[in-house]
Amino acid sequence: MTDAPNYGFDTLQIHAGAHPDPATGARQTPIYQTTAYVFRDADHAAKLFNLQEVGYIYSRLTNPTVAVLQERIATLEGGVGAVCCSSGHAAQIMALFPLMQPGNNVVVSTRLYGGSITQFSQTIKRFGWSAKFVDFEDQAAVEAAVDEDTRAIFCESVANPGGYVTDLPGIAAIADKVGLPLIVDNTSATPYLCNPIAHGATLVVHSMTKYLTGNGSVTGGVVVDSGKFDWGASGKFPSLSEPEPAYHGLKFQETFGPLAFTFHGIAIGLRDLGMTLNPQAAHYTLMGIETLSLRMERHCENALKIAGWLESNEHVERVTYAGLDSSPYKARAEQICPKGTGGLFTVALKGGYDACVKFVDSLALFSHVANLGDARSLVIHPASTTHRQLTEEQQIAAGAGPNIVRISIGIETADDLIADLEQALNASA
Ligand SMILES: *Cc1c(COP(=O)(O)O)cnc(C)c1O
């Protein structure tokens, strides 16, 4: 695609980053299933290795199929660059890696995907990093949690799965005030429904495993950079502002300007951590993104209809969907993601744990799986699966109490989904 700053989202989701293949004219982006790329000569090779010229060396770092996907997502999110990686969790490590040294911490929202809570509360400690969990509804507490060793603030736009919408402009204002980057996980909303960069985010991360691919076929992640953060201003981010010994003292910010974070992600992050996305996975995700807006519209329409239906069902205690009038976050959702709040919510059943298990086992069209953001409707009972290691108190704090079922509404016919839910609710009571 040539310069076209005014194309709409539906055009960009198909064309951004892609060109007919120069060798064959292939209109669809080829899957460049290759590990290495032939150098023109020894001088060309030397320049590539010194980062004096941009080009392909080895597919742990860069690959033409993956590069198209990176440019497409950066464009849709309004960023300057993006680095794809092997999963959403890899993307979170790749986002923090250039920012954090041993002893540093990140201030994170308590309302996060369960796997992110484990990654931040347990695993990152092995790197000498730590996370401070704060309720992001209490913005004074977010600011108070920031100390000299804090290097980032992390939250989800629409939090998975409890129907919580973060006040992104409010949190971004705190990040600005304390001079730290704001990292937003935009997995549940997607760039079609929400653009965190427009609300002040520095970096955006995704699990591409979910809505971006949209059919439950791959695992992938991405980090998008807004290009707006001044990494040298505070002296807190030496990896990006100070000389890098592994590249003859090159300074990423001085050399690459707004692309410093993206180049660091490839030249240091992928080179040494190796959490690379493979070109087959990039291909499936590119196919998925071509229909992102159409799918998200249907996910939102179905979810709103079904959440409303569930709310009035006699076996249901409450439904947490931010699109419902009953949601305390409805007004905020209209500000942050005006086109809709996605396909995810939780439902609390009056019958408690036993009713939830019977309900999940009785569904026929919904699949009982540990995934979300698929074209097909999915369901899980966190207390008996993903959150079963936690105490009941911890489960309730995580929005995954014994009576809670998480639902990911697909793009099937809404009435068929309602009929399935109705028979399973009756069977559960
Ligand atoms: C699934 C998910 C992740 C983790 O992504 P993987 O691709 O499974 O590693 C992170 N954040 C959110 C909001 C998710 O839904």
Side-chain angles (χ1 to χ4, degrees):
M1 201 181 73
T2 45
D3 294 345
N6 294 322
Y7 280 148
F9 191 98
D10 295 330
T11 304
L12 294 171
Q13 72 186 356
I14 295 169
H15 292 284
H19 310 266
D21 180 48
T24 63
R27 179 60 269 209
Q28 191 46 276
T29 299
I31 304 169
Y32 288 92
Q33 195 68 47
T34 182
T35 309
Y37 308 84
V38 178
F39 306 121
R40 287 194 301 271
D41 52 34
D43 184 50
H44 176 221
K47 286 195 171 118
L48 291 175
F49 275 91
N50 277 343
L51 300 183
Q52 287 161 328
E53 189 177 324
V54 178
Y56 296 104
I57 300 176
Y58 187 65
S59 282
R60 173 158 28 84
L61 305 165
T62 46
N63 171 281
T65 312
V66 177
V68 171
L69 177 58
Q70 288 172 163
E71 194 175 331
R72 182 152 318 159
I73 295 176
T75 304
L76 296 178
E77 283 287 6
V80 295
V83 181
C84 285
C85 31
S86 51
S87 70
H89 272 1
Q92 291 171 191
I93 297 296
M94 288 281 291
L96 292 175
F97 182 66
L99 315 179
M100 307 276 282
Q101 307 279 338
N104 288 160
N105 67 69
V106 51
V107 170
V108 306
S109 170
T110 45
R111 286 174 250 223
L112 292 184
Y113 171 71
S116 302
I117 293 179
T118 309
Q119 186 186 50
F120 290 146
S121 63
Q122 310 294 332
T123 303
I124 64 169
K125 286 189 204 155
R126 310 266 186 112
F127 305 144
W129 308 345
S130 61
K132 295 185 177 185
F133 286 87
V134 183
D135 178 356
F136 274 39
E137 272 310 277
D138 183 351
Q139 295 191 1
V142 175
E143 188 173 340
V146 171
D147 64 28
E148 262 172 40
D149 294 320
T150 305
R151 292 293 177 272
I153 298 175
F154 186 103
C155 60
E156 293 180 15
S157 48
V158 176
N160 172 357
Y164 178 72
V165 180
T166 304
D167 176 11
L168 292 180
I171 299 295
I174 295 171
D176 265 357
K177 184 173 166 197
V178 298
L180 291 175
L182 171 63
I183 308 173
V184 177
D185 181 341
N186 200 31
T187 299
S188 303
T190 80
Y192 179 65
L193 299 178
C194 177
N195 275 125
I197 290 173
H199 296 296
T202 309
L203 304 172
V204 176
V205 294
H206 279 279
S207 168
M208 303 194 300
T209 315
K210 314 292 171 50
Y211 292 110
L212 289 181
T213 304
N215 50 44
S217 60
V218 306
T219 305
V222 66
V223 187
V224 184
D225 181 16
S226 65
K228 291 182 181 158
F229 197 84
D230 181 356
W231 303 108
S234 65
K236 286 181 178 169
F237 304 101
S239 301
L240 293 159
S241 63
E242 299 307 310
E244 169 58 49
Y247 283 106
H248 310 303
L250 170 145
K251 296 181 184 170
F252 278 90
Q253 186 175 23
E254 191 183 279
T255 309
F256 300 111
L259 282 167
F261 189 93
T262 301
F263 271 85
H264 189 280
I266 293 166
I268 307 283
L270 290 182
R271 188 195 64 181
D272 296 342
L273 300 178
M275 302 192 249
T276 306
L277 188 75
N278 69 74
Q280 281 279 349
H283 166 75
Y284 290 124
T285 304
L286 281 165
M287 294 296 96
I289 289 177
E290 291 191 351
T291 58
L292 180 64
S293 62
L294 305 176
R295 288 185 289 106
M296 292 317 292
E297 277 170 11
R298 178 64 68 84
H299 280 296
C300 291
E301 184 190 318
N302 277 359
L304 187 60
K305 183 170 182 188
I306 292 166
W309 179 84
L310 279 167
E311 203 172 33
S312 63
N313 184 281
E314 57 180 327
H315 306 299
V316 170
E317 193 179 298
R318 87 184 166 271
V319 180
T320 61
Y321 185 59
L324 290 173
D325 289 338
S326 59
S327 169
Y329 306 111
K330 175 139 198 268
R332 189 179 291 165
E334 280 164 3
Q335 181 198 4
I336 310 275
C337 42
K339 285 182 277 194
T341 55
L344 262 190
F345 55 83
T346 61
V347 51
L349 298 192
K350 288 181 183 155
Y353 187 99
D354 292 339
C356 289
V357 171
K358 264 193 227 151
F359 171 65
V360 166
D361 278 344
S362 305
L363 286 162
L365 195 50
F366 284 73
S367 305
H368 182 199
V369 300
N371 191 21
L372 57 97
D374 194 321
R376 45 195 69 59
S377 293
L378 311 174
V379 68
I380 198 162
H381 178 224
S384 62
T385 56
T386 51
H387 290 63
R388 70 175 297 134
Q389 311 302 340
L390 306 184
T391 64
E392 190 169 323
E393 207 172 47
Q394 288 174 313
Q395 287 173 349
I396 291 167
N403 62 334
I404 302 287
V405 174
R406 181 183 83 191
I407 297 185
S408 173
I409 296 293
I411 59 175
E412 302 101 324
T413 304
D415 288 342
D416 295 340
L417 298 174
I418 289 176
D420 193 31
L421 291 166
E422 185 167 30
Q423 64 77 21
L425 282 168
N426 291 337
S428 77

